[in-house]
Amino acid sequence: MALAIVKETTVQPRSASKPMVCVDAVTMSFGDFVAVENVDLTVADGEFLTIVGPTGCGKSTILNAVAGLLKPASGTVSIDGAPVRGVRNDIGYLFQQDALLPWKTALENVELGPLFKGMGAAERRERATTWLAKVGLKGFEDRYPHQLSGGQRKRVQMAQALISGPKVILMDEPFSALDIHTRHLMQNELLRLWQEERRAVVMITHDLEEAIALGDRVVVLAAGPRSRVIDSFPVALERPRDVAEIKLDQRFTDLYRNIWSSLRGEVEKSYERHD
Amino acid sequence: MNATTERLIQLALLVAVLGGWQLGVVLGVIDVFFFPAPVDIFNQVVAWVTNAGFYVHVTTTLTETVLGYLIGTGLGVAAGVWLGLSRSAARILDPFIKCLNAVPRVVLAPIFVLWLGLGLWSKVALAVTLVFFVTFFNAMQGVREVNPVVLANARLLGASRPDLLRHVYFPAAASWILSSLRTSVGFAVVGAIIGEYLGSSAGLGHLIAQAEGNFDAVGVFAGILVLAVFVLLIDSILDVAEKRLIKWRPNVAEKPA
């Protein structure tokens, strides 16, 4: 099997662990419109990768290709060595929008993954209860999504995505719809859960601060169409981190300046094209 | 305006209309041949309700309505979910469905009488044709309007096709289907009554047709009144069923208007 050729501008700290997600020369297009072209990405097992880029640069498209929701026009995506063909269920996906089933209670939503995998009722109920408690929603088991706040719904979604112990966690601007305080809270929560059991994470965001605060590595995408990877920055900040405090760190601000100088040009280009 | 005042105004309106009507009859302004006195209509209804024979008519109509309703709804939901999921089947069948739906259902009544006789089933068939399309279009719409994000999420969580049907499509379509059930119950009654009206030996429609044949306006009005109560009762049963089935939906009535 052809191994992904990874163009790394810098040596990453966790290069020793095996690659979990390989995106190899992937081009995504919709008819004549080419969203992303020739993208190479590798995410090591246990690595938290964040992808930033201007609006409309096809960030979500890449994520959907990894999830198997969309098929690349060319190139291959593989997870843990196996090529992705169609939707697979060893990944956890955190959507930007409300993705909970509105006709199921918080508990029923969380136990969906185990249910679809054929786990017995008692066991999955027990696991779902544990996971709800883990995300701080003990006592909210029987609430329907419309009876929960935006942040609480996000917590349920987290539990829902993580309960089956996925190999890879994909996140598509998961916190962008939340207010700033809830967002900080959720980011810390996410880091705490991830710290417990490190998985490969690919997170898409347009918030550079979030990208640096959470990630091990930040990848910058060019303005679309025909977007591609233009830079990759390792984030050598120690963990565990507190997202609010880390922003005051000198190294954080230096990194922010570096990445922003790379990103700014693309954001400006994207505005010119969209005006 | 508070609820009590609103109730009082409603009551005042009712008294004004019925009282005015009755007064008009007493003063001889209104011709009782066309508009019989409310008191007479009421007496006729009481006479019916206290007579055991009347309930044969009620049960007949009720049976036809319920059968037509259940069969029509079942077929409508099945066909709607199927065509909602299969775009190509929907495209192929679209012109036929439009044609069938364009046929005024009432004209089918004589054909059903020819095919199925004057008994119960010709009325049920007419009710089915009326109910089917309402439920069908709603079920199809419900399945098509499933939130794509919710659908993608369920697929990523490992849902198979039957899982998706059971946990995503049916519940999503349920609120559409249920709202159509309210509309279609009226249609089921219309189907049953028209069938009876055109030819039958029992039922509320038969009662009205008989009264009409005798130029008995009191009987016609009394029949209409009984029918209205009949539909209201069925509707309130559905109301309870809907509240039980869709408890996940935010209650719109709870919010201030």
Side-chain angles (χ1 to χ4, degrees), chain A residues 67 87-89 91 93 95 97 99-104 113 115-117 144 146 160, chain B residues 147 149-150 152-159 163 167-168 171-172 247-251:
Chain A
V87 172
R88 43 189 306 150
N89 52 28
I91 59 157
Y93 200 117
F95 290 85
Q97 307 95 321
L100 295 174
L101 275 57
W103 41 86
K104 293 198 180 282
L115 169 75
F116 293 148
K117 289 183 179 73
Y144 285 94
H146 78 267
Q160 186 185 54
Chain B
N147 182 347
V149 177
V150 170
N153 191 23
R155 287 176 63 205
L156 285 164
L157 289 168
D163 284 336
H167 296 283
V168 181
K247 55 181 186 293
W248 55 269
R249 202 167 44 180
N251 194 347

Side-chain angles (χ1 to χ4, degrees), chain B residues 26-247:
Chain B
V26 172
L27 293 176
V29 186
I30 296 171
D31 188 344
V32 286
F33 184 78
F34 300 108
F35 297 99
V39 173
D40 293 338
I41 297 169
F42 180 75
N43 287 339
Q44 176 68 68
V45 173
V46 171
W48 277 347
V49 173
T50 48
N51 177 3
F54 171 71
Y55 292 96
V56 176
H57 296 294
V58 175
T59 10
T60 309
T61 306
L62 188 65
T63 317
E64 289 159 0
T65 305
V66 169
L67 277 175
Y69 185 62
L70 290 180
I71 297 173
T73 307
L75 291 175
V77 168
V81 169
W82 174 45
L83 290 191
L85 289 175
S86 167
R87 297 275 165 157
S88 55
R91 275 195 299 272
I92 292 167
L93 294 178
D94 183 62
F96 301 106
I97 293 164
K98 277 199 180 129
C99 274
L100 285 177
N101 190 33
V103 175
R105 250 47 59 80
V106 178
V107 302
L108 293 178
I111 297 175
F112 287 138
V113 171
L114 271 178
W115 289 348
L116 303 164
L118 279 170
L120 181 84
W121 291 103
S122 60
K123 283 87 192 169
V124 172
L126 191 60
V128 166
T129 58
L130 281 163
V131 169
F132 174 81
F133 285 97
V134 181
T135 323
F136 166 76
F137 286 118
N138 274 285
M140 189 161 76
Q141 198 65 19
V143 166
R144 284 193 179 163
E145 304 222 333
V146 167
N147 182 347
V149 177
V150 170
L151 193 61
N153 191 23
R155 287 176 63 205
L156 285 164
L157 289 168
S160 62
R161 207 163 163 74
D163 284 336
L164 285 180
L165 262 183
R166 189 174 150 208
H167 296 283
V168 181
Y169 285 116
F170 273 122
S175 60
W176 283 78
I177 294 170
L178 272 173
S179 74
S180 77
L181 294 188
R182 304 287 291 276
T183 327
S184 54
V185 82
F187 281 110
V189 178
V190 168
I193 295 294
I194 295 208
E196 287 167 0
Y197 186 78
L198 292 177
S200 64
S201 52
L204 294 172
H206 173 74
L207 221 54
I208 294 177
Q210 257 189 338
E212 187 210 347
N214 298 330
F215 296 103
D216 170 19
V218 177
V220 176
F221 274 93
I224 293 170
L225 189 65
V226 169
L227 269 179
V229 173
F230 183 75
V231 175
L232 278 176
L233 282 178
I234 297 180
D235 200 54
S236 59
I237 294 170
L238 274 178
D239 208 20
V240 175
E242 188 175 347
K243 284 212 178 87
R244 292 217 166 177
L245 282 170
I246 307 207
K247 55 181 186 293

